[in-house]
Each structure stands twice: as C-alpha cells, then as structure tokens.
C-alpha cells in the first residue's frame, strides 16, 4: 500500500489509458482523452478522439457532400510519435481538399492501433470503421504485419473468418483488468516483466553481437516469414478486400518495408501484394521507393531515430506518395 501511494503521487506514467470494448473484446484508448507518449529522443501529447483512437474528432454521421477515406493499419497509421495535425491522414486530407478547391469535401480518418496485424486491422474496421461509411479504404501494410496473425480459419467459400475473441469479453475479467490498470505498482511490475522477456528474447536471437557482418546477415534469414505465414497474410488481405467491396467501398493497399527488414522480405512484400492486387482488382502502391526518394531530396529522416516509426517528415512523405497515387487513379476518388 505504501509503495502504491508513493507511485500514485510520484510516478509520471499513466497506465489507465486503455478501454476494452465488451462487445468485441478490442482495445482502444479512453475516448476524448490525452496521454503522454515518449521515447529517449521525443515526447508527444497524444490526443484521443471520440472513437478512442489517436486522431482528430470524427464527424458522425458523414456529411452528404463528404468523400470519406479510412487509413487502416497498426502503429504507423496510429502515429503516436507526432501530433494530430502532423499525421499522414491529416496531411493527406489537407492536400486533397486543397486540390478540390471546394468542389468536394474530403475526410481522411486514421484507424490505427499499435501491434495490430492485418487480421486485427480487419476486426477494427468491422467494429469501428464500417459504421463511418467510408468511400475508400486504404490499408497500410508493413513487413511487421506478416507473421503476427492468429491461426487462420476459413468458411465454406474459402474466405477468412474474422471473429472476435470471445474469451476476453467476460464483464468480470474486463472489470478486473480495468481496476488493475489503475494500480501503478502492478503495472510497473508488469512493464518490467515484459521488458525482461523482450531482452531475453533479443539475447537468445543474437547472443553474439560481435559476429562478423556477413554472419549476422546470414543469421537474419531465419527471421524471415515462412511460406505458410505469407500465404496466411495474402488470404487475410484478400478476404479484407472482399469485405470492403461488399460494403460498397473501394480498396487500396499501400506497403512500406522497414529498413530493418531483409532484402528478401522487402521484395516479397511488394511482389506478393502487387500480384494479389492484380488478381483481386484493387489498387496497389509501394511507398518504400517514393519515401526514400523524398528523404534523399530533403535530407530529413523518414524515421524517429530512437523509435523506428515515421517522423514528422516521414508522415509527410507517406501523405505525398498517397496523394500522388490518388491523382494518378482518379476513379478511386469517385463514390
């Protein structure tokens, strides 16, 4: 009790920032709240909107003259490292409205949550995005998403079954977790435990960092997604695209490979998604080369150096590449 009292008054970390949806079991932040997200080289005040995600307030319902775009993904869409008006979605919205000169009102809504894979992206779309009645859905895929999915199940038509995890919806468990998150001592212990496990995994993955560069590169090939993981990822994107199509929205997939990804993974990410786009007749964009070109041109880093996610400049590069793609394919901006 003494330690808890001390931490409540002296601890700067706020753990009671999340909210569990009892209908779906999905996690969001507390709607219309704020919290500090920081790293060793940055600190950002995150503003949570009315649907419990990082981003500006969402207008509900959608205006009749509005063309609404959902940008769906994990931490790169969530963009906790930058302010609301620096996010890819916000910058893209500004570019679209400036180009339309008032003829159409564009809204670009970020639907991102850290650590989500594509399977969870589809669930978040189903729970929170579908009701917003988007005209266009852009799925941002990185190499991180491949291999983090749960075991995939299929229906009789071969489509992936997107189902909420029923085990996390028990109201008593939800209540217990909510109360535990209010204890800074409990959450601090859990944070330290997670950090220990992460460090142990990192050590076991690379116990001899003094190996030659050639040996390290060779060892990294074991981290590449398996053929089964690639197949599951492609099936999930395919079924996600079908789901969006059935909701009378257009679908775009944009990919970005992190610098830490192996060359093989980067090539496979582009190849497999572009092939699927041709087969399923949705639009595809590789952000990696376009953003790298902008980085060289401006001299401003794409990533936050201590974090690995997009910097303010990186979000601008992504928005510019998406904007150029939409202008190249104007049918994507038609209802």
């Amino acid at each position: 009790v003494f330690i808890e009292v001390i931490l409540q008054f002296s601890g700067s970390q706020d753990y009671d920032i999340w909210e569990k949806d009892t209908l779906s079991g999905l996690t969001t932040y507390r709607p219309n709240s704020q919290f500090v997200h920081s790293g060793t080289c940055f600190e950002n005040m995150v503003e949570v909107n009315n649907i419990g995600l990082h981003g500006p307030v969402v207008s509900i319902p959608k205006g009749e003259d509005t063309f609404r775009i959902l940008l769906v993904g994990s931490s790169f869409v969530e963009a906790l490292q930058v302010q609301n008006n620096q996010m890819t979605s916000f910058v893209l919205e500004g570019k679209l409205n400036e180009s339309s000169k008032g003829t159409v009102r564009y809204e670009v809504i970020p639907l991102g949550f850290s650590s989500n894979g594509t399977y969870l992206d589809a669930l978040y779309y189903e729970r929170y995005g579908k009701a917003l009645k988007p005209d266009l859905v852009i799925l941002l895929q990185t190499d991180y998403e491949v291999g983090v999915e749960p075991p995939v199940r299929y229906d009789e038509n071969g489509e992936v079954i997107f189902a909420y995890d029923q085990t996390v919806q028990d109201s008593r468990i939800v209540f217990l977790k909510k109360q535990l998150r209010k204890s800074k001592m409990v959450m601090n212990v859990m944070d330290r435990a997670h950090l220990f496990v992460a460090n142990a995994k990192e050590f076991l993955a690379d116990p001899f960092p003094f190996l030659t560069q050639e040996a390290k590169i060779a060892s990294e090939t074991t981290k590449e997604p398996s053929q089964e993981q690639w197949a599951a990822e492609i099936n999930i994107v395919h079924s996600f695209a079908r789901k969006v199509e059935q909701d009378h929205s257009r679908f775009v997939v944009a990919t970005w490979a992190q610098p830490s990804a192996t060359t093989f993974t980067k090539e496979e990410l582009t190849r497999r998604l572009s092939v699927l786009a041709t087969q399923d007749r949705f639009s595809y964009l590789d952000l990696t080369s376009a953003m790298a070109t902008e980085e060289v041109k401006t001299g401003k880093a794409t990533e936050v150096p201590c974090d690995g996610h997009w910097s303010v400049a990186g979000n601008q590069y992504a928005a510019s590449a998406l904007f150029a793609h939409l202008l190249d394919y104007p049918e994507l901006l038609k209802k």
Side-chain angles (χ1 to χ4, degrees):
V1 172
F2 177 75
I3 295 175
E4 181 66 42
V5 170
I6 294 296
L7 289 175
Q8 287 292 339
F9 286 96
S10 64
S12 59
Q13 180 67 50
D14 183 7
Y15 297 100
D16 190 24
I17 61 176
W18 296 282
E19 186 170 279
K20 184 74 72 174
D21 177 28
T22 55
L23 294 177
S24 65
L26 300 177
T27 301
T28 64
Y29 301 106
R30 286 188 285 109
N32 305 308
S33 64
Q34 292 182 330
F35 65 91
V36 174
H37 179 70
S38 61
T40 57
C41 63
F42 76 96
E43 181 173 291
N44 183 45
M45 177 61 74
V46 177
E47 297 183 20
V48 180
N49 60 22
N50 50 322
I51 61 175
L53 299 172
H54 182 210
V57 173
V58 178
S59 301
I60 303 173
K62 180 178 73 173
E64 292 183 3
D65 63 338
T66 298
F67 188 93
R68 179 168 280 177
I69 301 172
L70 285 186
L71 182 58
V72 182
S74 56
S75 56
F76 287 90
V77 172
E78 185 179 40
L80 296 181
Q81 298 72 25
V82 300
Q83 298 178 3
N84 284 1
N85 60 359
Q86 298 169 329
M87 298 172 71
T88 298
S89 50
F90 188 92
V91 178
L92 176 59
E93 179 181 293
K95 289 178 177 292
L96 288 169
N97 282 318
E98 185 178 356
S99 68
S100 74
K101 299 179 180 179
T103 56
V104 180
R105 181 175 179 271
Y106 291 99
E107 284 184 354
V108 184
I109 300 173
L111 199 71
F113 199 76
S114 292
S115 300
N116 277 6
T118 313
Y119 186 91
L120 274 175
D121 288 340
L123 291 186
Y124 274 70
Y125 164 78
E126 184 71 21
R127 179 69 181 94
Y128 303 106
K130 182 177 178 179
L132 300 176
K133 301 186 182 302
D135 300 291
L136 174 66
V137 176
I138 302 175
L139 174 65
L140 176 62
Q141 287 277 103
T142 73
D143 55 283
Y144 165 82
E145 275 81 3
V146 184
V148 301
E149 311 298 352
V152 178
R153 296 185 297 121
Y154 300 91
D155 62 18
E156 63 276 8
N157 298 318
E159 300 293 330
V160 173
I161 299 174
F162 294 106
Y164 299 128
D165 185 359
Q166 299 296 324
T167 62
V168 298
Q169 297 180 48
D170 185 282
S171 59
R172 294 166 298 180
I173 301 230
V174 171
F175 175 80
L176 176 60
K177 288 184 176 181
K178 186 174 183 179
Q179 300 310 310
L180 286 175
R181 282 196 294 268
K182 294 179 180 180
S183 168
K184 291 191 176 183
M185 185 182 70
V186 171
M187 297 305 296
N188 194 278
V189 170
M190 288 182 64
D191 267 4
R192 292 175 185 276
H194 289 157
L195 181 61
F196 174 79
V197 171
N199 287 338
K201 288 181 178 179
E202 185 177 350
F203 171 77
L204 292 174
D206 187 16
F208 305 109
F210 48 80
L211 288 175
T212 63
Q213 187 64 22
E214 291 77 10
K216 285 178 67 65
I217 292 174
S219 68
E220 285 179 357
T221 58
T222 60
K223 301 176 184 177
E224 292 171 352
S226 66
Q227 293 301 316
E228 291 77 13
Q229 289 172 325
W230 279 115
E233 184 68 23
I234 294 304
N235 288 333
I236 292 169
V237 176
H238 162 77
S239 295
F240 192 177
R242 291 291 301 273
K243 180 186 289 288
V244 171
E245 180 185 355
Q246 291 167 2
D247 294 334
H248 308 290
S249 300
R250 288 188 170 86
F251 191 67
V252 175
V253 171
T255 58
W256 186 76
Q258 301 172 91
S260 58
T262 63
T263 301
F264 177 80
T265 299
K266 294 176 182 177
E267 292 174 349
E268 285 296 284
L269 184 67
T270 302
R271 184 185 71 81
R272 291 175 184 265
L273 268 299
S274 60
V275 169
L276 180 65
T278 301
Q279 293 175 347
D280 283 5
R281 298 183 180 181
F282 60 75
S283 185
Y284 170 74
L285 167 65
D286 176 24
L287 291 172
T288 309
S289 57
M291 292 177 66
T293 300
E294 287 298 307
E295 183 178 50
V296 171
K297 186 186 301 182
T298 66
K300 296 180 179 179
T302 300
E303 296 179 299
V304 178
C306 65
D307 182 82
H309 289 91
W310 290 340
S311 61
V312 173
N315 278 272
Q316 292 173 345
Y317 302 155
S320 296
L322 288 169
F323 176 65
H325 184 74
L326 294 177
L327 291 188
D328 289 340
Y329 298 92
E331 68 276 6
L332 293 173
L333 295 176
K334 295 179 181 178
K335 287 184 178 288

